[in-house]
Amino acid sequence: MISFKHVSKSYTGTEKAVNDVNFEVEQGEIVIFLGPSGCGKTTLLRMVNRLETITEGSILINDQDIGELNEIELRRKIGYVIQSNGLFPNMNIEENVTIVPDLLGWDKKKKHNRYKELMQLIGLDPMEYRKRFPNELSGGQQQRIGVIRALAADPPVMLMDEPFGALDPLIREKIQDEFLQIQREVKKTILFVSHDIDEAIKMADKIVLMRDGEIMQYGTPSDILIHPKNEYVSQFIGRDRAIKHLSLRTIAQLQEEIGLVDIDQSIVDSKQVNVHENLKDTLAMLLNQEADQVIVHDDNDEVQGAITIDRVQRYLHLEMRQKPAQAREKEKVIE
Amino acid sequence: MNEYLEYLRINASYIWGLTVQHIELVGIAIIIAIIIGVSIGIYLTTNEDLAETVLAAASVLLTIPSIALFGIMIPFFSLINQGIGFVPALVALVLYSQLPIIRNTYSAIKNVNPAFIDAANGVGMKRRQRLVRVEIPNALPVIMAGIRTAVVLNIGIGVIAAFIGAGGLGTLIVQGITRTDMYSIVTGSIVVSLLAIIADTVLLLIQKRLTPKGIEN
Ligand SMILES: Nc1ncnc2c1ncn2[C@@H]1O[C@H](COP(=O)(O)OP(=O)(O)OP(=O)(O)O)[C@@H](O)[C@H]1O
Ligand SMILES: [Mg+2]
């Protein structure tokens, strides 16, 4: 668990790059620092492995104040991924990947085995790439090597500063998926900087939404989309917050809440979809092909029913209007 | 032309002897200069205020006419009975090589991509580890370029050493001037140039070998 306690940072004079930040990160969560350029995301991240000093307040990892730890040891226990060029150009891929184990004094065999294991994790042939240098790899491959380098010594905490920012959208999505897959296995506590709201919605367990060094809202993506706390937050997440929210929900969840509709047999050419598909893509499918229904299958390929635009709209209404209203009612009662 | 070839034939072993002497003088000077210059260059990266002063001083050194610098050495080294000969010549050459070596070492290390430095700190390298594993390897081509400049400079300036009795190829030129012996002057000049070209080529090859494969463009 990582706790930020009244953390502030000023580089020069009185202006604060980070201003009295307070929040806690649970073990195994991905928390994304989100906000416009210059709002202090990188600064906040870099204070965790003490690449930046903390001006006021403290950061605790498992109740241990990081200010009291040896900074070299601290950094070796925290994986760190940066946007571009983080790989050492003078070292080959294997040396790059195993740099932290090497600094920690692992023996040759253990390092090599770990290298092979990590390369398999990202589906690159360990032998083929071993002796290659970073400049002989594509941007996407370099970025993935950067990620496994941070994982090499199996650190409990990872810091990632716009790790996929420099990639083109297609590759980025692929690597995001791959990364989420890896995270499901390794369950690291991850602090992740992004300024891409879609990336944050897709990857985050929680989002820290920032402005001018201060936290505007801290919560789950769904929380932030459904109850933006103030004008700034709702502007930042955009008018399409309802649609964005659909990407967090699956057909299965809709089915549970309001059920599917019966299949209209008169429509011949209907698309098929799995029940775990997210609602945003399902809606896109309905809109694109101008079909009135999409037929829903479960994992055993059994037909569950059909879904229509109308159905999606009803679900959205429920999620965005009725539920928040109920929640507000409840709050009032408690008060 | 035949006459000149005859001159070369007769003096071959004498010329060879002077060439070896020249190589020795410049070789030893450059080894000492590298050790001192690279160390100072690296140290200066940790001390900004001193860096400016030292680089300025090294620049001034280079503007002193070489013959004057050799001359200045004489009274100092007379104090330890080494006024003329090998030692003052060596010291003068070492001083002359400092600017290119210090400046290149300093600026090469200063100019290593900050992202690599950041990554080095981020993975938990200590200062020394960062220097040896990241900064120096990435700065190497530029450091080597400074050393090459210094070597070529020294081979040329090494000629002056003859004036203070340190021998070397300058001897041919000095003798040629005093005896108005054209052949001697020409031979001395050609061999010095050849030496410079060969040294530069060899060093370039060494530089290519030493440079980590990943940082050649
Ligand atoms: N080394 C530094 N010295 C002085 N000021 C700095 C330094 N680094 C950052 N700042 C300032 O601190 C503020 C926050 O910067 P920071 O890099 O944390 O922003 P960011 O949210 O990561 O932005 P971006 O999305 O552009 O990376 C900015 O106003 C920036 O100018
Ligand atoms: Mg940043």
Short mmCIF file of all heavy atoms in Angstrom, two decimals, chain B residues 44-45 47-56 106:
data_model
loop_
_atom_site.label_atom_id
_atom_site.label_comp_id
_atom_site.label_asym_id
_atom_site.label_seq_id
_atom_site.Cartn_x
_atom_site.Cartn_y
_atom_site.Cartn_z
N LEU B 44 35.25 17.47 -13.70
CA LEU B 44 34.60 18.77 -13.93
C LEU B 44 33.08 18.63 -14.11
O LEU B 44 32.33 19.55 -13.81
CB LEU B 44 35.19 19.46 -15.16
CG LEU B 44 36.62 19.97 -15.00
CD1 LEU B 44 37.05 20.72 -16.25
CD2 LEU B 44 36.76 20.87 -13.77
N THR B 45 32.63 17.47 -14.60
CA THR B 45 31.18 17.31 -14.76
C THR B 45 30.47 17.36 -13.42
O THR B 45 29.26 17.55 -13.35
CB THR B 45 30.82 15.97 -15.46
OG1 THR B 45 31.33 14.90 -14.67
CG2 THR B 45 31.37 15.90 -16.86
N ASN B 47 31.51 19.47 -11.02
CA ASN B 47 31.82 20.76 -10.40
C ASN B 47 31.75 21.89 -11.42
O ASN B 47 32.75 22.29 -12.02
CB ASN B 47 33.22 20.68 -9.77
CG ASN B 47 33.51 21.88 -8.88
OD1 ASN B 47 32.93 22.95 -9.06
ND2 ASN B 47 34.40 21.70 -7.93
N GLU B 48 30.54 22.39 -11.61
CA GLU B 48 30.27 23.38 -12.65
C GLU B 48 31.15 24.62 -12.57
O GLU B 48 31.67 25.10 -13.58
CB GLU B 48 28.81 23.83 -12.58
CG GLU B 48 27.81 22.84 -13.14
CD GLU B 48 28.10 22.49 -14.60
OE1 GLU B 48 28.33 23.41 -15.41
OE2 GLU B 48 28.10 21.29 -14.91
N ASP B 49 31.32 25.16 -11.34
CA ASP B 49 32.05 26.41 -11.19
C ASP B 49 33.50 26.25 -11.63
O ASP B 49 34.04 27.07 -12.36
CB ASP B 49 32.03 26.86 -9.71
CG ASP B 49 30.60 27.09 -9.25
OD1 ASP B 49 29.75 27.35 -10.12
OD2 ASP B 49 30.35 27.00 -8.04
N LEU B 50 34.08 25.15 -11.20
CA LEU B 50 35.47 24.90 -11.54
C LEU B 50 35.59 24.66 -13.05
O LEU B 50 36.57 25.06 -13.68
CB LEU B 50 35.96 23.68 -10.75
CG LEU B 50 37.47 23.50 -10.69
CD1 LEU B 50 38.09 24.71 -10.01
CD2 LEU B 50 37.82 22.24 -9.93
N ALA B 51 34.59 24.03 -13.63
CA ALA B 51 34.65 23.65 -15.05
C ALA B 51 34.95 24.86 -15.92
O ALA B 51 35.83 24.82 -16.78
CB ALA B 51 33.34 23.00 -15.47
N GLU B 52 34.24 25.94 -15.67
CA GLU B 52 34.42 27.12 -16.51
C GLU B 52 35.87 27.62 -16.45
O GLU B 52 36.49 27.88 -17.46
CB GLU B 52 33.47 28.22 -16.02
CG GLU B 52 32.50 28.66 -17.10
CD GLU B 52 31.46 29.59 -16.51
OE1 GLU B 52 31.79 30.77 -16.33
OE2 GLU B 52 30.33 29.11 -16.24
N THR B 53 36.36 27.71 -15.21
CA THR B 53 37.72 28.20 -15.01
C THR B 53 38.74 27.31 -15.70
O THR B 53 39.63 27.78 -16.42
CB THR B 53 38.05 28.22 -13.49
OG1 THR B 53 36.89 28.64 -12.80
CG2 THR B 53 39.21 29.12 -13.20
N VAL B 54 38.62 26.01 -15.48
CA VAL B 54 39.62 25.09 -16.02
C VAL B 54 39.59 25.09 -17.55
O VAL B 54 40.63 25.13 -18.21
CB VAL B 54 39.39 23.66 -15.48
CG1 VAL B 54 40.29 22.67 -16.19
CG2 VAL B 54 39.63 23.63 -13.99
N LEU B 55 38.39 25.09 -18.12
CA LEU B 55 38.30 25.10 -19.58
C LEU B 55 38.88 26.38 -20.16
O LEU B 55 39.58 26.35 -21.18
CB LEU B 55 36.84 24.92 -20.03
CG LEU B 55 36.28 23.51 -19.84
CD1 LEU B 55 34.80 23.46 -20.17
CD2 LEU B 55 37.04 22.50 -20.68
N ALA B 56 38.65 27.50 -19.46
CA ALA B 56 39.22 28.76 -19.93
C ALA B 56 40.75 28.71 -19.86
O ALA B 56 41.44 29.07 -20.81
CB ALA B 56 38.69 29.92 -19.09
N TYR B 106 34.56 16.45 -21.01
CA TYR B 106 33.56 17.18 -20.22
C TYR B 106 32.25 17.33 -21.00
O TYR B 106 31.17 16.95 -20.53
CB TYR B 106 34.12 18.55 -19.85
CG TYR B 106 33.12 19.48 -19.20
CD1 TYR B 106 32.79 19.35 -17.87
CD2 TYR B 106 32.51 20.49 -19.95
CE1 TYR B 106 31.88 20.21 -17.27
CE2 TYR B 106 31.60 21.35 -19.37
CZ TYR B 106 31.28 21.20 -18.02
OH TYR B 106 30.37 22.04 -17.46
#
